[in-house]
Amino acid sequence: MSTSTKMTFSRRGFIRTSSLASGGLLIGFNLFTACSPKAKPPVDISQLDFNDFNAFIKIADNGAVTIFSPNPEIGQGVKTSMPMLIAEELDVAWDNVYVKQGILDTNNYTRQVAGGSQSIRFGWEPLRQTGATARQMLVNAAAAKWGVDPSECTTKEGVITNEKGETLGYGDVVKEAAQLEVPENVSLKDPKDFTIIKSDVKNVDIDKIITGQSLFGLDYKKEGMVYASSLRPPAFGQKLESFDDSETRKISGVVDVVKFGNKIAVLATDTWSAMKGKNALKAVWTEDTKLESTAEHDKILTDLLNGSKVETLRKDGDIKKAFAAADKIVERTYHSPFLPHNCMEPMNFFADVTEDKIHLVGPIQTPERTANDVAELLNRDVKQIHLEMTRMGGGFGRRLYGDFVLEAAEISNLAKKPVKLVFSREDDMMDGIYRPAIKYRIKAAIKDGEITGYHLKEASINSNMYGLIPNFFPAGAIENYQVDVANYQSNITTGAWRAPYTNFLAFAEQSFFDELAEAMEVDRVQMRLDLLQKVKGTTDDRIQYSPERMEEVIHVVVDKSGWGKKEAGTFQGFAAYYCHNTHVAEVADVQIENGMPVVKKVTCVVDCGIVVNPLGALNQVEGGIIDGIGHAMYGDFGFEEGKPLANNFDRYRLIRMKEIPAIETYFIQNNLSPTGLGEPALPPAGAAIANAFKAATGNRLTEQPFMKNPDLLKMPEKEIIG
């Protein structure tokens, strides 16, 4: 059974031709909404270089299919899963599909962004329509060749069959298909008929990754390019007064030293010489703005929580009346530090700025915005920019910001050379875009055994409304509910960090719900389920989560984890959270070893709609949980006089292999459209282990990282079972 779906792109925008020098069919498509009115085929398509023009499916005479993947690949798997959607509806054998990374192409693509776990969600219908339209064109061509109605034809793995049993391969009809009208209505497969979607598909780049072939930005080379390493202010709030580069210029391999803005770039024939030359620079820095410290930030955030200067994001009922009438009030304050991103691949980018063209190549999550920023910086037409995306060795939000791309472009423009800018690990940590330090204060009113008031207040360094989602759970479940934010503007650069808005808020709220349950002397899981009942049937369209879907993941994780049924000596912690359009519930199992709690297992249940690639999905969930546990336990970062207190992994603690627990993951099976997956498993992980630690030790953790206060993790003299 299939479902008829109206195409979202026009006939005119659906480009197709058979005049390839190699033969075959080239089909253009828009991936998300509609082909841009500006989209036009190249003047001489027979000379088309598929590495430079990519908004197409290419079907060769031999039936091989090339699909160009437009979105940046940061390890979230879209270079595999997005083409899977097209191939499913095109009805070809996945073994016959080749995937190539697309370039930035604003004429033919929209939302070429890796961020927010939204690529599959936005591409779900359009990508499938693209494949289905191409398949229908091929079927129509075969039907015309046989003189039969297209409805009498079926397809399977790139072969068209009519009712007489005659067959034609896609490659046999590509030329004829290119001459036909583009159909306006196509039929999409029923999910029960999927053969590629919902099946395990290995990463399309995996063979190249494990054999060390060129994929990442650091791998990119171009003849004649030089390497650049930049000296930046050692502290936020400093400016360059003067510098001496005489010793730098003596170093073998150094070819030039260029001052730009508040920085100095050393250009050399290799990265080692460039970095060695940078270290030989003698620079004088003076204070430009206030040099801030972590202790000062802590006081500022506390003052903001105690102050009345706030912005109210949501206000239901009257919390003042609720607190005034309460039988009991529970209040807690939670604190998280700044965090760097620490991508495995440090920031890097290639730039070649000439009079006619700006050629950019490298790892970036926001290619379109970055191209516009480069054009503005250099006062050039953005049409002169050609930006190619490489695979990224991690992003986590850091590569949403193109500061390193602008730096490479500015250096190339000044040096009049093609430049490959490479950060050292120290550069990466000392000049980052950090997750901001945040404090949350949560206060709840209890009256007659019910939660009658809930006040959530955020104080953040820089990012007003950055860390707070006012319409997530428990919004809508509590009559008197208010969310306020306040922020302090710092000169320390901050921005998105994996699962922005929710990576720390989930820990704060889910820990607080456990504390509320204790104060009310009720079951902590049932308390959450009771609150969800109050949201069912709501007409409040501000509510973003589904109480029914959240309820289901909770019931399943309780069952799969053996919640409350573990043997003595195993302590469990529960958390459930919604973010990036996905519902997740997690249970952590903790045991005491050498007087300290150790996370032994995490059971996770996820409702992300249809799981496009289960193998890739499992990797995302497990990676998110490990990341969430690691940073909740160990991630600590701060500043003294504007200078980061850690510049490498000898002083910045990450989770180690031996500390990773067993992880069991279950996906809710349904046929709902896919939602986000790269980030949603991270936020509840810290809360689940914190609640398990409370069960084991009796101590409530309110500050991350947990190892900052190891005494709170020690087993008390008398074992406490929660």
Side-chain angles (χ1 to χ4, degrees), residues 704-721:
Q704 289 186 1
F706 302 153
M707 287 304 296
K708 192 170 186 176
N709 298 297
D711 287 345
L712 292 177
L713 296 178
K714 289 180 180 177
M715 188 68 182
E717 291 182 10
K718 269 192 171 183
E719 185 178 275
I720 299 175
I721 300 177

mmCIF file of all heavy atoms in Angstrom, residues 704-721:
data_model
loop_
_atom_site.group_PDB
_atom_site.id
_atom_site.type_symbol
_atom_site.label_atom_id
_atom_site.label_comp_id
_atom_site.label_asym_id
_atom_site.label_seq_id
_atom_site.Cartn_x
_atom_site.Cartn_y
_atom_site.Cartn_z
ATOM 1 N N GLN A 704 27.576 20.711 39.125
ATOM 2 C CA GLN A 704 28.423 19.931 38.231
ATOM 3 C C GLN A 704 29.770 20.630 38.101
ATOM 4 O O GLN A 704 29.848 21.858 38.166
ATOM 5 C CB GLN A 704 27.757 19.782 36.853
ATOM 6 C CG GLN A 704 26.546 18.870 36.861
ATOM 7 C CD GLN A 704 25.987 18.606 35.470
ATOM 8 O OE1 GLN A 704 26.511 19.083 34.465
ATOM 9 N NE2 GLN A 704 24.910 17.845 35.407
ATOM 10 N N PRO A 705 30.864 19.876 37.914
ATOM 11 C CA PRO A 705 30.893 18.415 37.853
ATOM 12 C C PRO A 705 30.795 17.798 39.236
ATOM 13 O O PRO A 705 31.203 18.397 40.231
ATOM 14 C CB PRO A 705 32.252 18.138 37.217
ATOM 15 C CG PRO A 705 33.116 19.267 37.695
ATOM 16 C CD PRO A 705 32.217 20.467 37.712
ATOM 17 N N PHE A 706 30.282 16.593 39.296
ATOM 18 C CA PHE A 706 30.069 15.934 40.581
ATOM 19 C C PHE A 706 31.383 15.688 41.327
ATOM 20 O O PHE A 706 31.429 15.730 42.552
ATOM 21 C CB PHE A 706 29.344 14.598 40.382
ATOM 22 C CG PHE A 706 28.017 14.741 39.693
ATOM 23 C CD1 PHE A 706 27.483 13.694 38.945
ATOM 24 C CD2 PHE A 706 27.280 15.921 39.775
ATOM 25 C CE1 PHE A 706 26.256 13.815 38.305
ATOM 26 C CE2 PHE A 706 26.056 16.059 39.134
ATOM 27 C CZ PHE A 706 25.540 14.997 38.393
ATOM 28 N N MET A 707 32.462 15.440 40.569
ATOM 29 C CA MET A 707 33.749 15.157 41.208
ATOM 30 C C MET A 707 34.384 16.407 41.808
ATOM 31 O O MET A 707 35.431 16.324 42.458
ATOM 32 C CB MET A 707 34.709 14.516 40.202
ATOM 33 C CG MET A 707 34.365 13.081 39.850
ATOM 34 S SD MET A 707 34.267 11.984 41.284
ATOM 35 C CE MET A 707 35.959 12.045 41.866
ATOM 36 N N LYS A 708 33.750 17.546 41.614
ATOM 37 C CA LYS A 708 34.264 18.767 42.240
ATOM 38 C C LYS A 708 34.096 18.698 43.758
ATOM 39 O O LYS A 708 34.848 19.317 44.512
ATOM 40 C CB LYS A 708 33.530 19.987 41.675
ATOM 41 C CG LYS A 708 34.170 21.317 42.040
ATOM 42 C CD LYS A 708 33.535 22.435 41.249
ATOM 43 C CE LYS A 708 34.262 23.749 41.496
ATOM 44 N NZ LYS A 708 33.712 24.852 40.651
ATOM 45 N N ASN A 709 33.077 17.949 44.201
ATOM 46 C CA ASN A 709 32.828 17.760 45.629
ATOM 47 C C ASN A 709 32.816 16.260 45.929
ATOM 48 O O ASN A 709 31.758 15.679 46.202
ATOM 49 C CB ASN A 709 31.496 18.390 46.029
ATOM 50 C CG ASN A 709 31.478 19.882 45.792
ATOM 51 O OD1 ASN A 709 32.254 20.609 46.403
ATOM 52 N ND2 ASN A 709 30.599 20.343 44.912
ATOM 53 N N PRO A 710 33.981 15.603 45.878
ATOM 54 C CA PRO A 710 34.022 14.137 46.017
ATOM 55 C C PRO A 710 33.492 13.637 47.354
ATOM 56 O O PRO A 710 33.037 12.493 47.436
ATOM 57 C CB PRO A 710 35.509 13.811 45.839
ATOM 58 C CG PRO A 710 36.234 15.088 46.123
ATOM 59 C CD PRO A 710 35.318 16.175 45.680
ATOM 60 N N ASP A 711 33.523 14.490 48.388
ATOM 61 C CA ASP A 711 33.016 14.046 49.689
ATOM 62 C C ASP A 711 31.526 13.707 49.625
ATOM 63 O O ASP A 711 31.037 12.861 50.385
ATOM 64 C CB ASP A 711 33.254 15.119 50.753
ATOM 65 C CG ASP A 711 34.726 15.215 51.149
ATOM 66 O OD1 ASP A 711 35.479 14.273 50.819
ATOM 67 O OD2 ASP A 711 35.116 16.218 51.752
ATOM 68 N N LEU A 712 30.803 14.380 48.711
ATOM 69 C CA LEU A 712 29.370 14.109 48.582
ATOM 70 C C LEU A 712 29.106 12.764 47.917
ATOM 71 O O LEU A 712 27.975 12.268 47.933
ATOM 72 C CB LEU A 712 28.687 15.224 47.785
ATOM 73 C CG LEU A 712 28.622 16.599 48.456
ATOM 74 C CD1 LEU A 712 27.980 17.617 47.522
ATOM 75 C CD2 LEU A 712 27.853 16.533 49.768
ATOM 76 N N LEU A 713 30.133 12.202 47.300
ATOM 77 C CA LEU A 713 29.969 10.914 46.621
ATOM 78 C C LEU A 713 30.377 9.738 47.499
ATOM 79 O O LEU A 713 30.136 8.582 47.140
ATOM 80 C CB LEU A 713 30.795 10.892 45.328
ATOM 81 C CG LEU A 713 30.380 11.885 44.242
ATOM 82 C CD1 LEU A 713 31.318 11.776 43.046
ATOM 83 C CD2 LEU A 713 28.946 11.655 43.797
ATOM 84 N N LYS A 714 30.996 10.041 48.627
ATOM 85 C CA LYS A 714 31.464 8.950 49.479
ATOM 86 C C LYS A 714 30.307 8.254 50.171
ATOM 87 O O LYS A 714 29.320 8.873 50.557
ATOM 88 C CB LYS A 714 32.444 9.495 50.524
ATOM 89 C CG LYS A 714 33.781 9.921 49.932
ATOM 90 C CD LYS A 714 34.702 10.451 51.008
ATOM 91 C CE LYS A 714 36.043 10.876 50.403
ATOM 92 N NZ LYS A 714 36.941 11.454 51.431
ATOM 93 N N MET A 715 30.460 6.959 50.330
ATOM 94 C CA MET A 715 29.445 6.165 51.007
ATOM 95 C C MET A 715 29.444 6.501 52.496
ATOM 96 O O MET A 715 30.498 6.507 53.135
ATOM 97 C CB MET A 715 29.758 4.677 50.815
ATOM 98 C CG MET A 715 28.670 3.761 51.307
ATOM 99 S SD MET A 715 27.185 3.898 50.314
ATOM 100 C CE MET A 715 26.117 2.750 51.174
ATOM 101 N N PRO A 716 28.280 6.835 53.060
ATOM 102 C CA PRO A 716 28.226 7.120 54.494
ATOM 103 C C PRO A 716 28.476 5.857 55.306
ATOM 104 O O PRO A 716 28.462 4.738 54.773
ATOM 105 C CB PRO A 716 26.798 7.640 54.690
ATOM 106 C CG PRO A 716 26.017 7.015 53.595
ATOM 107 C CD PRO A 716 26.962 6.913 52.424
ATOM 108 N N GLU A 717 28.714 6.044 56.582
ATOM 109 C CA GLU A 717 28.998 4.894 57.446
ATOM 110 C C GLU A 717 27.847 3.895 57.425
ATOM 111 O O GLU A 717 28.038 2.695 57.393
ATOM 112 C CB GLU A 717 29.264 5.374 58.879
ATOM 113 C CG GLU A 717 30.571 6.152 58.996
ATOM 114 C CD GLU A 717 30.837 6.570 60.424
ATOM 115 O OE1 GLU A 717 30.120 6.099 61.322
ATOM 116 O OE2 GLU A 717 31.771 7.360 60.642
ATOM 117 N N LYS A 718 26.609 4.436 57.436
ATOM 118 C CA LYS A 718 25.440 3.566 57.348
ATOM 119 C C LYS A 718 24.898 3.638 55.933
ATOM 120 O O LYS A 718 24.643 4.705 55.410
ATOM 121 C CB LYS A 718 24.372 4.024 58.333
ATOM 122 C CG LYS A 718 24.480 3.357 59.697
ATOM 123 C CD LYS A 718 23.222 3.638 60.488
ATOM 124 C CE LYS A 718 23.207 2.795 61.753
ATOM 125 N NZ LYS A 718 21.960 2.995 62.494
ATOM 126 N N GLU A 719 24.739 2.487 55.315
ATOM 127 C CA GLU A 719 24.229 2.453 53.944
ATOM 128 C C GLU A 719 22.808 2.978 53.896
ATOM 129 O O GLU A 719 21.949 2.599 54.680
ATOM 130 C CB GLU A 719 24.274 1.021 53.409
ATOM 131 C CG GLU A 719 23.885 0.929 51.948
ATOM 132 C CD GLU A 719 23.985 -0.500 51.456
ATOM 133 O OE1 GLU A 719 25.090 -0.912 51.058
ATOM 134 O OE2 GLU A 719 22.962 -1.201 51.479
ATOM 135 N N ILE A 720 22.576 3.909 52.960
ATOM 136 C CA ILE A 720 21.246 4.497 52.799
ATOM 137 C C ILE A 720 20.666 4.002 51.487
ATOM 138 O O ILE A 720 21.284 4.161 50.437
ATOM 139 C CB ILE A 720 21.316 6.033 52.794
ATOM 140 C CG1 ILE A 720 21.893 6.530 54.121
ATOM 141 C CG2 ILE A 720 19.955 6.634 52.540
ATOM 142 C CD1 ILE A 720 22.115 8.013 54.172
ATOM 143 N N ILE A 721 19.514 3.407 51.551
ATOM 144 C CA ILE A 721 18.856 2.917 50.341
ATOM 145 C C ILE A 721 17.669 3.815 50.051
ATOM 146 O O ILE A 721 16.779 3.960 50.875
ATOM 147 C CB ILE A 721 18.397 1.463 50.497
ATOM 148 C CG1 ILE A 721 19.624 0.573 50.790
ATOM 149 C CG2 ILE A 721 17.675 0.986 49.251
ATOM 150 C CD1 ILE A 721 19.270 -0.862 51.022
#
